[in-house]
Amino acid sequence: MNEPLDEIAVRVLGALMEKELVTPDNYPLTLNALVAACNQTSSRDPVMSLDEETVRRALERLSKRSLARGIHRGARAMRYREEMGERLHLHRPELAALSVLLLRGAQTAGEIRTRTARAFEFVDPSHVEITLDSLAALDPPLVTALPKRPGQKDVRYMHLLAGPPSEDAPTEEASPRAGPRPQEGTPGRTPAPTSSTTDRVEALEQEVGALREEVAELRAELHAFREQFE
């Protein structure tokens, strides 16, 4: 990478990578679908609210860097795809891990494994670490391991497409801790969700998303079947 990407270009590139892996039948993406992918409220940190023109300008910046491009399919609307994977000869597990880092920021190997379940099934966290090592070994590197901070158990990884991470950038495990746990019945305070709860919610969201896609495909097949007899 030459110049660092801005946060909007990072989001657009990450969304293209993710949808290439999890919804190949609908890929490349129309501009409208890409905007929706960028603005998802799940599996995104931070959640954004981008309009079409903002996403279009980000695509132009990515295109100049040969990281994305638009293609025409006959008379249909322009569709967009990422070019980074082909350009750097990235394999599916590398694309899956990198897309999560682009869309969600710093992650542990265990979090990446959970959050790439629909894109690629890693065997275990060590498989993720091997993949991250391969991304870190590129020239220039695309991923780096963040230094551990007091209280952190696992190493967290960050992409480098937006430049080197700030030394004082907060991470989930290093965020300030809340004060003493309130006693039961204390109004206005609820316990923060645990990491295991968050992972379960993530897994459920992914399963629901996959089921919705399967239902949409079945409806399309049923519609096509009915048309044969009309």
Side-chain angles (χ1 to χ4, degrees):
M1 300 299 297
N2 297 318
E3 297 179 6
L5 299 179
D6 60 84
E7 64 175 355
I8 296 175
V10 166
R11 173 57 55 88
V12 171
L13 182 59
L16 287 172
M17 284 184 177
E18 178 194 64
K19 298 308 179 184
E20 179 181 16
L21 298 175
V22 302
T23 59
D25 291 341
N26 298 322
Y27 187 84
L29 302 180
T30 63
L31 181 60
N32 184 60
L34 178 55
V35 171
C38 290
N39 294 338
Q40 280 184 208
T41 56
S42 62
S43 303
R44 303 289 185 269
D45 187 13
V47 172
M48 293 183 173
S49 181
L50 307 178
D51 57 30
E52 287 192 359
E53 184 57 30
T54 300
V55 173
R56 193 192 307 274
R57 290 198 297 268
L59 284 165
E60 291 174 355
R61 297 194 294 277
L62 291 169
S63 179
K64 290 179 180 178
R65 303 277 293 275
S66 299
L67 298 177
R69 70 183 176 95
I71 60 175
H72 277 295
R73 287 187 171 178
R76 296 183 179 181
M78 178 80 80
R79 287 177 174 264
Y80 300 91
R81 56 168 296 165
E82 63 88 13
E83 292 284 283
M84 187 173 185
E86 183 174 342
R87 175 186 167 191
L88 298 181
H89 307 290
L90 300 181
H91 300 295
R92 189 179 185 94
E94 294 169 328
L95 285 171
L98 186 58
S99 68
V100 168
L101 295 178
L102 292 173
L103 294 171
R104 306 194 62 140
Q107 304 283 306
T108 66
E111 289 170 334
I112 292 173
R113 183 192 178 204
T114 297
R115 292 163 181 169
T116 56
R118 291 178 59 202
F120 182 80
E121 293 187 9
F122 287 97
V123 177
D124 51 33
S126 65
H127 187 188
V128 179
E129 292 170 356
I130 292 171
T131 301
L132 294 169
D133 287 344
S134 70
L135 291 170
L138 294 174
D139 184 19
L142 299 183
V143 167
T144 188
L146 298 176
K148 276 191 178 182
R149 292 185 175 182
Q152 284 184 305
K153 296 186 301 180
D154 301 315
V155 174
R156 298 177 74 78
Y157 297 84
M158 185 69 184
H159 73 82
L160 295 174
L161 274 69
S166 172
E167 293 183 2
D168 58 353
T171 61
E172 183 177 327
E173 293 186 6
S175 59
R177 295 182 178 273
R181 183 177 179 180
Q183 296 181 352
E184 293 184 6
T186 303
R189 296 291 296 277
T190 56
T194 64
S195 59
S196 60
T197 300
T198 302
D199 288 343
R200 287 197 297 271
V201 171
E202 284 291 335
L204 287 172
E205 288 179 347
Q206 291 172 353
E207 289 179 8
V208 170
L211 288 172
R212 285 175 176 170
E213 291 173 8
E214 289 178 7
V215 169
E217 291 174 359
L218 289 172
R219 285 176 176 171
E221 291 176 2
L222 179 59
H223 179 71
F225 179 76
R226 286 176 173 173
E227 285 185 339
Q228 297 177 6
F229 299 93
E230 291 179 356

